[in-house]
C-alpha cells in the first residue's frame, strides 16, 4: 500500500492527487467506460476516504485499469490511454490493464 501523502512529482504533488488527475484524464478516452482495480483489486490508490480503483502510482510506473467498450482492438485502446496519461507520468512508464469489456448491444 502506497503512502498517499508521499510526493509524486517535482511539483510537490501528492500521489493521491496525481492518481486523481490520471483517472480523470483516462476517462476522456472515448473507448473507456470506467476504471477497474483489476481481477485481484491491486490497481488502486489509497487516500483519505474511499480508495480510488483503477490507478496505482508507483516510483517507476503508473498502472491504469480500464473497462472498455467493445469494438476497437485492445492494443489501440491501450495506446490511446498511454498517450493521454504519459504527459502526467513524468519519467514513469504507463501500464494499461484492460480488465473488462462491455458490449452495448
Amino acid at each position: 500500500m502506497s503512502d498517499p501523502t508521499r510526493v509524486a512529482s517535482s511539483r510537490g504533488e501528492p500521489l493521491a492527487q496525481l492518481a486523481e488527475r490520471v483517472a480523470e484524464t483516462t476517462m476522456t478516452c472515448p473507448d473507456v467506460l470506467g476504471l477497474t482495480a483489476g481481477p485481484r483489486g491491486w490497481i488502486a490508490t489509497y487516500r483519505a476516504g474511499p480508495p480510488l480503483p483503477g490507478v496505482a502510482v508507483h516510483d517507476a510506473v503508473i498502472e491504469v485499469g480500464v473497462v472498455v467498450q467493445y469494438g476497437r482492438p485492445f492494443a489501440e485502446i491501450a495506446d490511446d490511454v498511454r498517450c493521454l496519461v504519459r504527459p502526467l507520468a513524468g519519467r514513469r512508464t504507463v501500464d494499461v490493464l484492460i480488465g473488462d469489456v462491455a458490449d452495448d448491444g
Side-chain angles (χ1 to χ4, degrees), residues 8-79:
S9 70
S10 59
R11 294 177 22 191
E13 181 177 40
L15 288 177
Q17 205 170 25
L18 174 59
E20 289 168 4
R21 288 194 315 127
V22 168
E24 290 169 7
T25 300
T26 299
M27 290 303 299
T28 66
C29 181
D31 294 298
V32 172
L33 301 175
L35 297 170
T36 180
R40 299 189 194 276
W42 291 345
I43 302 174
T45 297
Y46 297 91
R47 58 189 177 165
L52 174 63
V55 178
V57 178
H58 304 285
D59 291 337
V61 66
I62 293 178
E63 297 175 294
V64 182
V66 293
V67 176
V68 300
Q69 181 174 327
Y70 177 79
R72 289 184 57 218
F74 294 161
E76 289 180 13
I77 297 170
D79 282 343

